[in-house]
Amino acid sequence: MVHVREAARFDRDGLIPAVVQDVLDGTVLMVAWMNREALERTLETGESWFWSRSRQELWHKGATSGHRQKIKALRYDCDSDVLLLTVEQQGDIACHLGERSCFHRDAAGNYDPPPADTLSQVFRVVEERKAHPNPDSYTSRLLEAGSNQILKKIGEEATEVVMAAKDGERVAEEVADLWYHTLVLLAHTGVDILDVYRALQQRRR
């Protein structure tokens, strides 16, 4: 086992790229550069430090904006020439333009935040159906029906999960149905899925 201090392979300019990933849902937030001092400060402080190639100086991410990044894990790749920082992003904003992720444009230049884990992607679709109802969409109709109908469906789906587990069949499908209807409830009540992830993170301790 080789510690990142010894393993990291810096380029001819003494730099190594660092990919920053959100610990909650795996979203790629940004890419920046580190020199050896930035890496050392990151390891020592538990917050991300980088090297600005344009300003030719160290910078502490979020020192001005308050959007600091608390390091949850730091890894290096198989060639030891790229770092991966898994962080708790303060304020849910990593981009200097005020976006959660710097990668919020697709190849055509359209606004399109990057995908995260599957559950978060489905939740964003549910939110889209809430913001722009479609009469042909089951999700839109369920949201329109309101709390009682949504809660009724969650109860039904929970029962089906129990029955599937007893029978040993279709467990994954029934759990997926339950999770989907729970996502609808979150969107209906205005609770973000990231808040659920934060609550789950607390339970890991």
Side-chain angles (χ1 to χ4, degrees):
M1 295 176 63
V2 182
H3 193 279
V4 66
R5 286 187 174 93
E6 291 73 45
R9 295 174 55 194
F10 296 86
D11 65 16
R12 67 183 63 184
D13 296 319
L15 301 175
I16 188 170
V19 179
V20 182
Q21 177 187 44
D22 196 292
V23 69
L24 294 177
D25 65 357
T27 296
V28 175
L29 299 177
M30 57 180 284
V31 174
W33 293 86
M34 285 184 167
N35 61 7
R36 190 168 293 280
E37 185 177 359
L39 175 58
E40 286 296 334
R41 292 201 185 187
T42 297
L43 293 170
E44 291 169 3
T45 65
E47 294 187 349
S48 59
W49 286 75
F50 303 107
W51 175 257
S52 171
R53 293 178 298 172
S54 60
R55 300 191 305 271
Q56 289 292 293
E57 64 181 15
L58 286 170
W59 58 287
H60 182 191
K61 176 63 179 175
T64 302
S65 66
H67 299 146
R68 288 185 166 91
Q69 295 171 343
K70 183 177 180 180
I71 305 297
K72 307 302 287 187
L74 197 158
R75 298 175 174 85
Y76 54 89
D77 76 333
C78 54
D79 292 322
S80 304
D81 57 4
V82 179
L83 301 178
L84 175 64
L85 281 61
T86 304
V87 306
E88 180 182 311
Q89 176 66 59
Q90 303 300 309
D92 286 332
I93 295 175
C95 179
H96 73 286
L97 297 178
E99 298 290 336
R100 183 171 183 233
S101 169
C102 293
F103 298 94
H104 56 269
R105 297 287 178 186
D106 65 14
N110 301 309
Y111 180 78
D112 186 20
D117 64 278
T118 300
L119 207 60
S120 296
Q121 291 181 56
V122 174
F123 179 69
R124 298 308 172 195
V125 172
V126 173
E127 284 196 316
E128 175 68 17
R129 296 292 186 269
K130 179 181 178 181
H132 305 286
N134 181 343
D136 296 327
S137 165
Y138 170 75
T139 302
S140 293
R141 295 197 302 272
L142 186 56
L143 287 165
E144 180 66 25
S147 297
N148 288 340
Q149 184 61 24
I150 295 171
L151 293 172
K152 178 183 176 183
K153 288 299 298 181
I154 289 178
E156 292 173 355
E157 298 301 339
T159 299
E160 291 184 15
V161 168
V162 172
M163 298 305 297
K166 283 183 173 292
D167 296 338
E169 297 179 355
R170 292 185 50 81
V171 176
E173 291 85 348
E174 296 301 344
V175 169
D177 286 343
L178 176 59
W179 285 3
Y180 159 75
H181 286 90
T182 303
L183 295 178
V184 173
L185 176 65
L186 291 177
H188 179 69
T189 56
V191 177
D192 196 283
I193 192 171
L194 295 180
D195 292 328
V196 178
Y197 288 165
R198 291 186 182 96
L200 289 171
Q201 284 286 331
Q202 292 293 323
R203 298 187 186 191
R204 293 181 59 191
R205 300 173 184 174

